[in-house]
Every structure is written in structure tokens, then in C-alpha cells.
Amino acid sequence: MTAPDTDLTARLAFLTEADRLKLVDRASRITNNTRCENSAEHSWHLALYALVLGDLAGPGVSTDRVIRMMLLHDLVEIDAGDVPIHSAAGQAHASEATKAAELAGAERIFGLLPPAKAAELRALWDEFEEGETPDARFARALDRVQPVMLNLINDGGTWNDFEVTREQLETRVGAKVMRGAPALWMHLKGAIDAWFSRNRP
């Protein structure tokens, strides 16, 4: 009888656990406005964003690495849940409590993997969270843009739910996008300004 491959068993256990990301609902609604997207759908969509919009990244950005970050960046929400950027007047998303919950999630979830693979993937997650490398800045810019697109399609979406002002959007979202994908934010500004002019005169 062949001994079980513990390395492969661990990797499959991680992949099974990752399926639980499909159970985490986000605030953003899908394009037909019938339901909220889940975090797994969000992560897939962002990987596609990176693939399609990679030419808008700055010099030295690796689209392949950004795609990997996008696939991993929200796995911690299996434990921590999704915290909308505009919730609690914008204070909850980057709070110490949220950071602690996500860090604990990272320890547990990446810890399911064999040590070498765990270190490799955890390093990408940490890089995204720190947001200082060119790859991470571009990845974080895309992470802010995708909900903007859904909100524009859904006549404001979560901007209505959280009573977001144009200034708040600029501070919480625009400034982050400008760090990693300024051409993308400048392209969207016309549509954003037009929506706020109609709805927040």
C-alpha cells in the first residue's frame, strides 16, 4: 500500500478551504443588480482586470504576479468577512480590528499549505497588504476600481447605500488608484463626476 502524499493532501485541503470564499458576500452588486457578488467572484474578476488592463501598469510591473495577488488577496475573508470600504464612515476597512482578523485568517489559511508553498503565497498576500511595490500598487488600484465600475453600472450601488460623497470617494478610492493606475482613474473621472452631479448636486 502506497503511503499518502502529505504534501498533495495539504494542497488539496487548502483548495477545498478556498472554496468557502464563495460564501462570503460583498456589498457590491453584480451588473444586473439582482444580488451581491461574493468574494470569490470578485477575486476572479480582478484577475481578469489585471490580464486585460496590465498595459496601464507602471514600469516594471509583472502582470503575472498581479494576477496571483488578485487570486489570493481576499482569501482571508473566509475568516474575517468582507468589510466594505465605505462602511462605518470609512473607518472599519482599515481598522486595527479588521487588520488583526485578516492577519489571523492569513496565518490559518495559508498555514494549511506545505511550508514552502505557504511561504510563497503568504509573501504575495503580505506584499499586497503593504502596498508598496509597483506590483502591489497596481493590484490595489484595480481592487478599488472594480467596485467603482459596478456602482456606475448600478446607478450608484453602494454609494447610495453608504451615502458616499464625491470627496469621500476621491479620498478612499481615487487616491489609491492614482498610486497604481492613474490613467485608469482619469479615464473614469468623467463618468464619476457626471453621476455625482446628477445625484449629489
Side-chain angles (χ1 to χ4, degrees), residues 5 21 36 44 46-47 49-50 65 74 79 82 99 104 107 111 113 120 122 128 131 133 152 172 175 181 200:
D5 183 334
L21 198 60
C36 294
W44 159 80
L46 281 173
Y49 265 64
R65 290 189 82 249
D74 273 346
D79 288 357
D82 176 63
K99 289 178 183 177
E107 292 286 340
L113 288 161
E120 174 193 342
R122 174 63 189 273
F128 175 85
T133 66
L152 286 170
R172 298 170 189 168
R200 304 280 195 276

Side-chain angles (χ1 to χ4, degrees), residues 24-41:
V24 180
D25 285 336
R26 292 172 49 82
S28 299
R29 293 186 286 278
I30 62 174
T31 52
N32 69 0
N33 207 22
T34 58
R35 64 171 176 86
C36 294
E37 69 173 351
N38 65 54
S39 288
E41 292 168 330

Side-chain angles (χ1 to χ4, degrees), residues 129-145:
E129 287 299 303
E130 291 161 7
E132 295 303 325
T133 66
D135 289 348
R137 286 196 296 269
F138 184 61
R140 289 170 71 90
L142 297 180
D143 191 33
R144 294 292 190 269
V145 163

